[in-house]
Amino acid sequence: MKLDILKNHWIDIVFEGKNKNYGAYILRRENRKTTVKALIIGSIIFTLALSAPLILSMIPEGEDDVVLDQKIVAIKLPPKPKKEEIKKFTPPPPPPPPKVDQVKFVKPVVAKAEEVTEEPPKIVEIKEKKLGASTIKGDPDAVLSVAPVGNGPKTSQVVEEDTQIYNTAGIEVKPEFPGGIEKFYKFVGNNYRAPEEEGLKGKVYVTFVVEKDGSLTDIKVLRDIGFGTGKEAIRVLNKSPRWNPGVQNGKPVRVLYSLPITIQSAE
């Protein structure tokens, strides 16, 4: 028997004696139909894609396209009105001063008695009263108004001096002996008088404050090795030249400085 793979007879031969309800049997049996459908649908889509430009060119142009071809005329809008500047707040004018009794001042003129039309006021009448061009009755119940008091002359602000003692760990510029720490140790070695004790050696720990002018103050011995080594360290530091002071925020400040001094007697 000749087998044609394009027909479905071979599927029955392959699945003979097997479960034909299995999906593979159904898929292979309907494969021919599925392939034909896919070919037809693909041909239709391909034909539409090729003929789409031709179809679009055959569609007549609508009214919207005619409108789009018209020239656009730019219209210059008038400038926006500027907002009125907010007037600066000005305090209201002070109330007018209360009226006080005023007597008309009549300038004395030499004239004949029959020509006098108005007599000048008497001394009693003008006592504790103002003189003016007319006679006015004052208002005794009026509220007194007092002119506002000014701020007076401006005084320069007093700047408080910075007396805080800073630590070398968090300062911008640390204090320094002129020439460096090596020259300082040389100065101490040339001026320190070690006690005449055989085999004496160790370190003297001292702290001091480098002032803004570079002088050393508040010299303290934290630990010494006895035999007057701490007092001698204080004496030498009091003779020290001025240091370059520490600087914080661009200004010299007081800085606490700690220093170990090594002592070793000659053998």
Side-chain angles (χ1 to χ4, degrees):
M1 177 181 177
K2 188 177 180 180
L3 183 62
D4 188 358
I5 61 173
L6 297 177
K7 296 181 180 180
N8 293 335
H9 299 297
W10 67 273
I11 299 175
D12 294 331
I13 296 172
V14 172
F15 283 90
E16 187 177 357
K18 297 181 181 179
N19 184 10
K20 294 184 179 180
N21 293 326
Y22 185 63
Y25 174 77
I26 298 172
L27 289 174
R28 284 169 173 75
R29 190 168 186 84
E30 296 179 356
N31 181 48
R32 185 176 181 181
K33 294 179 181 180
T34 304
T35 302
V36 173
K37 287 180 181 179
L39 182 60
I40 294 171
I41 294 172
S43 300
I44 294 172
I45 294 173
F46 182 73
T47 304
L48 289 174
L50 290 178
S51 59
L54 180 61
I55 295 173
L56 292 174
S57 62
M58 295 174 64
I59 297 175
E61 296 181 356
E63 296 180 357
D64 294 340
D65 296 335
V66 176
V67 175
L68 291 176
D69 290 339
Q70 295 180 359
K71 292 183 179 180
I72 298 174
V73 181
I75 301 174
K76 190 174 182 181
L77 297 176
K80 293 183 179 179
K82 295 183 179 179
K83 294 182 179 179
E84 295 183 359
E85 296 182 357
I86 300 174
K87 296 183 179 179
K88 295 183 178 178
F89 174 76
T90 54
K99 292 182 179 180
V100 296
D101 292 341
Q102 178 176 299
V103 178
K104 180 180 180 181
F105 175 73
V106 179
K107 187 176 181 180
V109 179
V110 178
K112 295 180 180 180
E114 60 272 11
E115 295 179 357
V116 175
T117 58
E118 186 176 4
E119 294 184 0
K122 299 178 181 180
I123 300 298
V124 179
E125 295 177 356
I126 63 175
K127 186 179 180 181
E128 297 181 355
K129 296 180 182 178
K130 294 175 63 178
L131 294 178
S134 61
T135 301
I136 300 174
K137 184 66 177 177
D139 185 5
D141 298 328
V143 180
L144 294 177
S145 61
V146 181
V149 180
N151 297 326
K154 294 183 178 180
T155 57
S156 58
Q157 187 176 2
V158 179
V159 179
E160 296 184 0
E161 185 179 0
D162 186 6
T163 58
Q164 178 183 349
I165 298 177
Y166 292 82
N167 195 294
T168 55
I171 198 169
E172 294 176 358
V173 180
K174 298 180 181 180
E176 186 181 25
F177 186 81
I181 194 65
E182 295 298 330
K183 284 199 174 184
F184 176 73
Y185 281 129
K186 187 177 180 181
F187 163 79
V188 174
N190 294 335
N191 292 273
Y192 193 91
R193 300 191 195 120
E196 296 180 359
E197 292 291 333
E198 186 177 350
L200 182 65
K201 63 179 180 179
K203 290 185 178 181
V204 179
Y205 292 89
V206 295
T207 61
F208 51 86
V209 175
V210 181
E211 297 290 341
K212 297 179 183 180
D213 60 355
S215 61
L216 306 185
T217 62
D218 198 17
I219 303 171
K220 295 180 181 179
V221 178
L222 301 181
R223 191 179 71 184
D224 60 11
I225 55 177
F227 305 101
T229 52
K231 291 182 179 180
E232 180 62 15
I234 294 175
R235 185 190 70 81
V236 174
L237 291 176
N238 282 325
K239 292 178 59 178
S240 171
R242 292 180 183 270
W243 288 43
N244 298 324
V247 178
Q248 184 74 3
N249 297 327
K251 296 182 180 180
V253 291
R254 306 174 70 201
V255 181
L256 180 65
Y257 202 96
S258 58
L259 188 73
I261 300 176
T262 304
I263 306 298
Q264 186 171 2
S265 60
E267 297 181 357

